[in-house]
């Protein structure tokens, strides 16, 4: 996923994945199709801090890394034959269904497994979390302390840059 930033919805799916698999790779996509708030290295660092520092997940069971290739190529490199994708609502299904089909065409040895987060996390999206924090809203119900701190810092940084250009 893009994890821009990681939310409790993502974390819920990571927990569920750990109930199914012995090892989970949290793969941070660095594709060029989105305008990210955080670059891939920042997102990878935030995920590690959220999972290992804030939530005390085991580093033995989770690997966090970024990639800038086709997901199927990344899976082959990591010797993984399963992709976990999250579904929040039925509106996600059509896109995810097409993506799973394309991945299957690219590498028929890779299966896609869809997981639903718990109902209280299904409404959470990175996009909404960014919008809420940008408007000084409270996002403690949506992500970890480290992520909140990083979001506040990033938006203050962006505001300072904007003020510099508009005030000079």
């Amino acid at each position: 996923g893009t994890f821009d930033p990681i939310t409790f919805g993502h974390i819920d799916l990571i927990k569920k994945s750990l109930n199914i698999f012995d090892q989970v790779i949290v793969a941070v996509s660095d594709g060029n199709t989105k305008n990210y708030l955080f670059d891939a290295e920042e997102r990878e660092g935030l995920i590690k801090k959220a999972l290992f520092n804030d939530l005390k997940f085991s580093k033995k069971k989770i690997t966090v890394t970024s990639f800038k290739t086709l997901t199927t190529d990344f899976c082959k490199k990591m010797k993984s034959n399963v992709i976990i994708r999250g579904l929040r609502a039925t509106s996600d299904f059509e896109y995810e269904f097409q993506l799973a089909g394309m991945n299957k065409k690219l590498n028929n040895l890779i299966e896609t497994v869809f997981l639903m987060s718990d109902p209280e996390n299904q409404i959470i999206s990175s996009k909404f979390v960014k919008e809420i924090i940008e408007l000084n809203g409270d996002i403690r119900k949506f992500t970890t302390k480290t992520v909140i701190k990083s979001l506040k810092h990033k938006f203050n940084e962006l505001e300072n840059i904007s003020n510099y250009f508009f005030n000079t």
Side-chain angles (χ1 to χ4, degrees):
T2 55
F3 305 98
D4 190 37
I6 190 167
T7 68
F8 286 143
H10 296 120
I11 292 164
D12 192 7
L13 294 177
I14 293 167
K15 285 180 188 175
K16 289 174 189 269
S17 298
L18 287 168
N19 288 332
I20 301 169
F21 302 99
D22 293 331
Q23 296 285 315
V24 172
I25 300 166
V26 179
V28 181
S29 174
D30 192 20
N32 295 330
T33 60
K34 289 189 178 183
N35 291 328
Y36 300 112
L37 180 62
F38 296 100
D39 65 33
E41 188 176 308
E42 290 172 315
R43 287 181 278 140
E44 188 178 329
L46 274 177
I47 293 167
K48 287 177 181 176
K49 287 177 185 173
L51 295 179
F52 305 133
N53 296 355
D54 293 345
L55 301 173
K56 309 298 184 211
F57 277 71
S58 171
K59 291 180 183 179
K60 294 176 184 173
K61 293 184 161 226
I62 301 171
T63 301
V64 181
T65 188
S66 61
F67 69 102
K68 198 173 186 160
T69 63
L70 289 170
T71 304
T72 52
D73 290 345
F74 177 75
C75 287
K76 188 175 179 179
K77 175 184 171 192
M78 300 303 289
K79 296 180 174 68
S80 175
N81 63 343
V82 177
I83 299 170
I84 303 289
R85 297 292 297 181
L87 295 173
R88 286 181 294 232
T90 55
S91 57
D92 289 342
F93 182 75
E94 189 170 335
Y95 170 78
E96 293 295 341
F97 180 79
Q98 291 175 343
L99 184 60
M102 291 302 292
N103 285 335
K104 191 70 170 172
K105 284 283 190 188
L106 290 168
N107 185 332
N108 67 357
L109 300 176
I110 296 174
E111 296 295 336
T112 299
V113 174
F114 298 109
L115 294 178
M116 300 282 298
S117 58
D118 288 340
E120 68 269 14
N121 294 318
Q122 288 176 4
I123 52 121
I124 302 172
S125 76
S126 296
K127 177 184 174 196
F128 288 149
V129 167
K130 289 183 285 195
E131 288 178 17
I132 293 166
I133 196 79
E134 187 175 17
L135 298 170
N136 298 313
D138 183 359
I139 59 169
R140 288 179 291 179
K141 294 179 183 175
F142 308 124
T143 193
T144 70
K145 290 178 183 181
T146 297
V147 175
I148 293 168
K149 183 178 176 183
S150 295
L151 280 165
K152 286 181 178 180
H153 178 76
K154 180 66 85 169
F155 279 108
N156 283 336
E157 199 176 80
L158 293 172
E159 186 177 319
N160 289 339
I161 291 168
S162 177
N163 287 338
Y164 173 78
F165 284 110
F166 286 113
N167 292 326
T168 55

